[in-house]
Amino acid sequence: MPLTCADILTQTPQGLYCPPGGFHIDPLRPVARALITHGHADHARAGHGAVMATAETLGIMGVRYGAEFAGATQTAPLREPMRVGDVTVRFVPAGHVLGSAQIVIESGGCRVVISGDYKRAADPTCEPFEPVPCDVFITEATFGLPVFRHPDVRAEVRKLLDSVALFPERAHVVGVYALGKAQRLMALIREAGYAAPIYIHGALERLTDFYQANGVTLGDVRRVAPSERGALAGAVVLCPPSAIQEVWSRRFPDPVTCFASGWMRVRARARQKGVELPLVISDHADWDALCATIRETGASEVWVTHGQEDALVHWCGTQGIQAQPLHLLGYGDEEVEPGPDDPSSPTREEA
Ligand SMILES: [Zn+2]
Ligand SMILES: [Zn+2]
């Protein structure tokens, strides 16, 4: 009997599971065989028996967890169909961070696409999202409310650089997530014509080195030495979000506290974190992009996970698309900070 879409993918306590393929996708706990969409800590965990992912995602996992992060690894070249168990899988760019991919599973004439996290806005540090026509589309919904409409990132970067020009005696200390946001912001700053060195906290160094080693051009990036902080008037300094509230950032000359995140759209969040200059820069699709993407896939069925599921499920209903929330626990978004056992964790850095 041919498999139906319901046979291809099910939910288990470990996360999404493909029984005919014998693998989990982005499992939350160690499993025998995992396919991983991208390197953020809530999707890519250490300790699986075997991991299949793009070369960049495997590299990022190696940077974060050490070379022994899985029993065995297999590189998934982008767009190339591969047989896994009784299904065919394919990794297709998701436009979220370097190496991020949607996972396409096909069997018996049914095609399921697991988006992982994705965005449609331009990002010079990774390949753009490619829509894949499918029967079932599993979408994230981090910003799945109509109030979330991300502004043009170039205007946000302009705000930062205008402030740098206006206050040459102050340092601009920008909180950014270590994987993706840090490197994208640096690339956008370069695109805007800023050529001076960009300074980074030590916790951002290894992933930034990894991006540069993988051909992402970021210009002159320097790790801040503790002794030079007082001398960095006029500089742009990137650090993990937690560091903007720590003593570490107060040693810079009259620091302007900035934070680059989609959540900066919510004023209360910026105020709560003591952010003077919020920059609305997100690596997730906003409401319009979520809706447009669902339409583009032509999916007749949508599963919504990872955030604000209900509004998007309702919207699908108005479009005649069958939809259900997945309520998978354990996923955050790029805003998840590495745990204390993560070698790139800011808590291991000097104050
Ligand atoms: Zn995520
Ligand atoms: Zn992510």
Side-chain angles (χ1 to χ4, degrees), residues 53-275:
T54 63
E56 293 84 357
T57 296
L58 292 175
I60 288 164
M61 291 178 79
V63 167
R64 299 198 120 165
Y65 304 126
E68 306 291 305
F69 67 85
T73 60
Q74 187 181 348
T75 302
L78 284 173
R79 305 177 192 86
E80 248 175 58
M82 284 165 299
R83 198 77 187 154
V84 182
D86 292 331
V87 300
T88 302
V89 300
R90 198 153 45 101
F91 286 60
V92 177
H96 176 57
V97 298
L98 182 64
S100 67
Q102 309 169 72
I103 296 175
V104 183
I105 308 175
E106 278 179 86
S107 181
C110 176
R111 187 185 290 159
V112 177
V113 173
I114 296 109
S115 69
D117 293 343
Y118 67 98
K119 71 171 174 291
R120 306 301 300 269
D123 180 345
T125 68
C126 64
E127 291 206 44
F129 180 95
E130 292 174 16
V132 178
C134 58
D135 302 293
V136 179
F137 184 58
I138 297 170
T139 183
E140 63 135 319
T142 304
F143 292 106
L145 286 174
V147 293
F148 289 116
R149 291 193 158 91
H150 302 324
D152 180 359
V153 288
R154 280 163 300 199
E156 297 300 292
V157 169
R158 188 33 64 200
K159 265 190 230 169
L160 171 65
L161 296 180
D162 285 350
S163 179
V164 170
L166 194 61
F167 301 112
E169 71 290 356
R170 303 180 69 182
H172 283 68
V173 180
V174 191
V176 286
Y177 297 97
L179 170 58
K181 192 62 56 68
Q183 298 78 24
R184 183 183 181 206
L185 181 58
M186 286 190 260
L188 290 169
I189 287 172
R190 295 309 184 201
E191 277 189 354
Y194 184 85
I198 297 173
Y199 293 86
I200 57 170
H201 186 287
L204 307 181
E205 189 174 40
R206 294 197 309 146
L207 285 167
T208 298
D209 286 350
F210 181 82
Y211 267 64
Q212 289 175 307
N214 278 270
V216 178
T217 307
L218 301 175
D220 185 356
V221 179
R222 301 179 188 180
R223 179 181 174 145
V224 180
S227 58
E228 70 180 327
R229 279 174 291 187
L232 289 179
V236 174
V237 183
L238 271 51
C239 65
S242 56
I244 59 175
Q245 287 165 313
E246 287 167 4
V247 176
W248 184 84
S249 70
R250 279 178 239 134
R251 301 262 161 80
F252 293 94
D254 193 12
V256 178
T257 302
C258 320
F259 189 10
S261 163
W263 294 112
M264 289 299 100
R265 171 76 175 67
V266 183
R267 287 277 149 189
R269 287 228 195 185
R271 267 198 306 274
Q272 180 199 342
K273 285 180 185 286
V275 175

